[in-house]
């Protein structure tokens, strides 16, 4: 069972836009095409609620609040219980899934996402749950770096943030070198009297 893939579905959900049914359909990768076809308006509300709670898990983890992250994940595990099943097309392709296809789309997807994030937390700790350091972004990520030093959700955000910081430093250096304009008093501006 690929727990990392399940955990990444949780990240994808938290980072997704969920304004309407079309936005929700865009969350499902090709291998979950049946979910995209079967999702309903009722699922949108369930995904939005779970999205907020999963974001809380990432905020707790990135703030060092392990116990709060665990409490929230345990509560989500109760709401979306795991029902393992073997799946595949032939004897060479057997693999595990965490829920049965008879469940609603939201129950199936969210059980996998919550299970994957729970296993991730147990395996790596909640410090590996990150919030992008680029203030314009807001995405979450799983820190897979070797020394737990990742700060951005993507190379794009890292580059954008570093370029902005570089430009700000350059502006500050130029401003520091530019002499301040001299302000003259009214008396200094008046013509000298001839006498």
């Amino acid at each position: 069972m690929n727990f990392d893939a399940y955990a990444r579905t949780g990240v994808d959900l938290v980072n997704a836009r969920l304004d309407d049914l079309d936005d929700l359909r865009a969350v499902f990768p090709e291998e979950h095409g049946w979910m995209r076809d079967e999702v309903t308006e009722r699922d949108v509300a369930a995904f939005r609620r779970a999205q907020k709670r999963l974001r809380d898990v990432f905020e707790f983890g990135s703030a060092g609040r392990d116990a709060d992250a665990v409490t929230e994940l345990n509560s989500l595990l109760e709401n979306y219980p795991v029902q393992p099943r073997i799946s595949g097309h032939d004897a060479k392709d057997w693999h595990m899934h965490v829920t049965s296809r008879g469940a609603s789309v939201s129950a199936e997807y969210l059980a996998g996402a919550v299970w994957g994030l729970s296993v991730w937390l147990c395996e790596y700790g909640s410090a590996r749950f990150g919030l992008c350091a680029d203030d314009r972004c807001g995405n979450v990520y799983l820190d897979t770096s070797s020394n737990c030093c990742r700060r951005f959700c993507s190379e794009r955000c890292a580059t954008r943030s570093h370029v902005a910081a570089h430009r700000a430093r350059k502006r500050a250096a130029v401003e520091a070198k530019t002499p301040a304009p001299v302000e003259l008093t009214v008396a200094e501006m008046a013509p000298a009297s001839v006498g």
Side-chain angles (χ1 to χ4, degrees):
M1 187 178 289
N2 187 346
F3 296 114
D4 288 353
Y6 280 113
R8 281 191 294 278
T9 63
V11 171
D12 293 344
L13 174 60
V14 175
N15 293 338
R17 182 179 179 142
L18 293 179
D19 291 337
D20 56 29
L21 190 56
D22 287 334
D23 287 343
L24 180 55
R25 286 185 177 124
V27 170
F28 304 113
E30 195 57 42
E31 65 265 18
H32 293 113
W34 72 267
M35 289 182 172
R36 188 175 39 251
D37 297 339
E38 294 181 19
V39 72
T40 67
E41 287 291 339
R42 278 185 61 203
D43 290 309
V44 174
F47 273 87
R48 283 184 188 146
R49 284 189 302 275
Q51 181 184 50
K52 196 257 181 252
R53 293 181 69 189
L54 288 172
R55 176 170 286 285
D56 289 345
V57 169
F58 279 85
E59 289 176 3
F60 294 147
S62 65
R65 296 171 54 190
D66 291 3
D68 293 327
V70 168
T71 298
E72 189 62 36
L73 282 171
N74 278 334
S75 177
L76 284 162
L77 284 168
E78 288 178 26
N79 291 341
Y80 303 102
V82 174
Q83 302 166 349
R85 70 181 171 96
I86 299 171
S87 180
H89 304 291
D90 59 43
K92 297 176 195 163
D93 186 33
W94 297 127
H95 56 278
M96 294 296 296
H97 281 280
V98 295
T99 60
S100 68
R101 184 148 183 230
S104 69
V105 170
S106 57
E108 173 121 6
Y109 186 95
L110 295 171
V114 170
W115 178 255
L117 290 172
S118 298
V119 170
W120 182 275
L121 183 140
C122 292
E123 185 75 21
Y124 305 108
S126 70
R128 296 284 184 159
F129 287 54
L131 300 174
C132 187
D134 185 346
D135 295 334
R136 296 164 287 187
C137 178
N139 281 345
V140 302
Y141 60 89
L142 296 169
D143 186 350
T144 58
S145 66
S146 60
N147 57 356
C148 195
C149 66
R150 187 169 166 186
R151 295 181 40 236
F152 299 95
C153 69
S154 66
E155 284 297 319
R156 179 176 177 255
C157 282
T159 300
R160 183 173 56 198
S161 184
H162 291 114
V163 167
H166 174 73
R167 288 179 179 159
R169 285 191 304 274
K170 272 182 88 171
R171 267 193 311 275
V174 167
E175 289 170 5
K177 290 180 182 179
T178 305
V182 177
E183 292 187 30
L184 301 174
T185 64
V186 174
E188 292 171 323
M189 289 192 278
S193 57
V194 178

